[in-house]
Amino acid sequence: MDATVETTPKKNLIGLTRAQLGEEIAALGEKPFRVKQLWHWIYHRGVTDFSQMTTLARTFQETLAEHFVVDRLEVARHQVSEDGTQKWLLRTDGGHLIESVHIPEEDRGALCISSQVGCTLTCTFCHTGTQRLVRNLEPGEIVGQFMLARDTLGEWPSPTDGNRLLSNIVMMGMGEPLYNFENVKAALQIVMDEEGIALSRRRITLSTSGVVPMMERCGEELNVDLAVSLHAVTDEIRNTLVPLNKKYPIEQLLAACRAYPGASNARRITFEYVMLKGVNDSDADARALVQLLKGIPAKVNLIPFNPWPGVAYECSSNNRIHAFARIVNDGGLSAPVRRPRGRDILAACGQLKSDTVKKRKSEILREQAEAEAAA
Ligand code: SAH
Ligand code: SF4
């Protein structure tokens, strides 16, 4: 008879908070200062092989290797756009697919990170919203996207000067980050830790479709820059574009923005506004936008709509977008037009969608309701 040996997969250390890492190290009977060393190797140097962590005793390296791994996500596909934008399709444990996108600029670059597999919200202009499979990403899967991009860009150890290829994070990939707040928070705290990746909170922007009850916690506990997907100036239109508006209408959303901890004229809230032909792009809409944002430390980001297969909307014309921008500018708000990047590899805003099998949303919807009720 064959004897089958059961092996438990080794635990990945990526994504553990310092306290959790401390518990693991203590359980191995090691001294607390080892945590600092290990943290440095993992998050400052980007080393994945314990045997290369040369300040650790050989025996400790071996013990670690017996119990743990420092694993990256598996790359299912890596594409580079003609404009230099890169997109990674990543496979998580359990076979879910997620995407992250690196957008290079002249002297810096942002990584657009996913917070969920798919999204429970169903904004009608967003490709991710049509994906039926949804699950929250674990902290390690969120930090892991950053670490993998760093591997590809060759930026370990963490650069200390200003010129990083990967200098900023935007939580604007797949999913609604405020519906996975605990894991997003744990991940961003790891990224901001000064002895590791050490990215400043000022270089992190979290974009929400308007989960009002979670906004205050986001400001208080993370204090990162906030972007709000507004997209319309009346509840009637916003209800059709961002159905979450039926739960948290514009007035409530803007009240939460006014109260956002840390917002000031020097740290404005970005209002994202997708330009949809004949839907939200008239001169009157632009004037109403200026009125709505009065008294809020705000700037506007106009996003040309990025089409995807089967969508009914069209992007406003260039002339229309610039006429709209002029009115908003004249109203005293900065309103740059976001340049679409990586459209040829479907990496631009709202084009992300990974095709995976369907799973029920009920569980995740229940978790979200509980988190909102608790907030
Ligand atoms: N769920 C969060 C963050 C991810 S979406 C949110 O909705 O804010 C990131 C941004 O891309 C949002 O402003 C979203 O409205 C915008 N977006 C979605 N689909 C788009 C599309 N097809 N074209 C342009 N922008 C889009
Ligand atoms: Fe989800 Fe944001 Fe897309 Fe809306 S725009 S479906 S909230 S990812």
Side-chain angles (χ1 to χ4, degrees):
M1 204 173 79
D2 278 357
T4 359
V5 184
E6 293 256 332
T7 48
T8 1
K10 293 179 189 172
K11 191 169 191 168
N12 191 3
L13 293 181
I14 305 273
L16 299 186
T17 61
R18 265 186 190 251
Q20 289 166 335
L21 192 60
E23 285 164 21
E24 298 290 351
I25 297 307
L28 296 177
E30 289 286 338
K31 299 256 159 41
F33 76 92
R34 296 282 179 211
V35 176
K36 194 179 161 92
Q37 290 181 317
L38 197 49
W39 190 272
H40 177 87
W41 283 111
I42 298 175
Y43 293 113
H44 180 75
R45 304 291 294 264
V47 170
T48 54
D49 182 346
F50 293 115
S51 70
Q52 287 175 19
M53 301 185 179
T54 47
T55 55
L56 307 181
R58 179 63 51 85
T59 48
F60 183 40
Q61 292 174 2
E62 286 164 6
T63 317
L64 284 169
E66 269 167 39
H67 294 87
F68 304 110
V69 285
V70 179
D71 239 0
R72 300 294 194 249
L73 297 156
E74 183 191 332
V75 181
R77 192 171 64 211
H78 175 221
Q79 290 169 282
V80 183
S81 154
E82 52 202 26
D83 69 13
T85 300
Q86 305 192 44
K87 180 167 96 168
W88 292 265
L89 180 69
L90 303 170
R91 189 172 291 114
T92 68
D93 282 349
H96 304 295
L97 293 169
I98 53 165
E99 290 177 310
S100 24
V101 176
H102 179 252
I103 307 137
E105 304 285 350
E106 207 144 277
D107 52 353
R108 63 203 173 97
L111 188 71
C112 180
I113 291 184
S114 294
S115 55
Q116 298 182 306
V117 175
C119 187
T120 50
L121 299 172
T122 48
C123 303
T124 43
F125 54 89
C126 174
H127 205 192
T128 305
T130 66
Q131 189 176 322
R132 301 172 85 178
L133 175 96
V134 183
R135 121 159 139 67
N136 280 337
L137 292 181
E138 297 295 329
E141 294 167 336
I142 299 169
V143 187
Q145 296 173 59
F146 183 92
M147 300 183 81
L148 196 107
R150 266 257 174 106
D151 291 347
T152 312
L153 296 165
E155 278 203 329
W156 300 111
S158 282
T160 43
D161 60 22
N163 276 345
R164 305 179 180 192
L165 292 172
L166 180 38
S167 58
N168 290 64
I169 285 180
V170 290
M171 295 301 302
M172 294 186 185
M174 299 163 72
E176 169 49 58
L178 293 190
Y179 271 155
N180 186 18
F181 183 66
E182 295 300 341
N183 292 353
V184 166
K185 179 180 158 187
L188 292 181
Q189 281 175 337
I190 291 173
V191 164
M192 291 189 278
D193 188 293
E194 288 183 0
E195 289 176 2
I197 294 166
L199 210 67
S200 138
R201 62 186 170 78
R202 304 294 303 269
R203 292 179 174 274
I204 301 177
T205 304
L206 183 147
S207 174
T208 180
S209 56
V211 184
V212 167
M214 300 303 291
M215 285 167 60
E216 190 181 348
R217 281 192 65 196
C218 177
E220 256 163 19
E221 295 173 32
L222 277 175
N223 205 1
V224 292
D225 284 355
L226 186 70
V228 172
S229 296
L230 187 61
H231 305 318
V233 292
T234 64
D235 282 325
E236 195 190 348
I237 303 288
R238 195 165 189 269
N239 284 345
T240 66
L241 299 178
V242 184
L244 184 68
N245 192 68
K246 293 179 203 150
K247 203 164 171 188
Y248 309 118
I250 292 176
E251 204 181 298
Q252 280 184 34
L253 177 59
L254 296 182
C257 290
R258 280 193 188 87
Y260 187 69
S264 66
N265 283 341
R267 271 188 86 194
R268 293 169 185 272
I269 296 175
T270 303
F271 288 87
E272 297 161 284
Y273 198 98
V274 63
M275 298 300 294
L276 300 168
K277 186 183 246 166
V279 176
N280 63 356
D281 63 351
S282 69
D283 287 356
D285 289 321
R287 286 192 290 269
L289 183 59
V290 172
Q291 287 308 315
L292 267 186
L293 299 182
K294 280 247 152 74
I296 302 177
K299 58 186 174 195
V300 173
N301 212 322
L302 299 176
I303 317 176
F305 169 65
N306 292 307
W308 36 273
V311 73
Y313 297 107
E314 279 178 77
C315 184
S316 314
S317 70
N318 265 344
N319 283 348
R320 183 86 303 269
I321 295 177
H322 287 102
F324 192 99
R326 212 167 310 121
I327 294 172
V328 179
N329 269 314
D330 290 349
L333 292 164
S334 131
V337 180
R338 194 181 286 175
R339 193 158 49 100
R341 302 289 301 267
R343 269 185 176 172
D344 55 324
I345 54 168
L346 281 185
C349 298
Q351 293 185 311
L352 305 184
K353 176 181 175 172
S354 57
D355 294 308
T356 36
V357 284
K358 178 181 186 286
K359 197 176 122 184
R360 294 225 315 272
K361 284 186 182 178
S362 53
E363 192 179 329
I364 200 159
L365 285 168
R366 198 183 55 240
E367 280 170 19
Q368 282 174 194
E370 283 167 9
E372 278 176 82

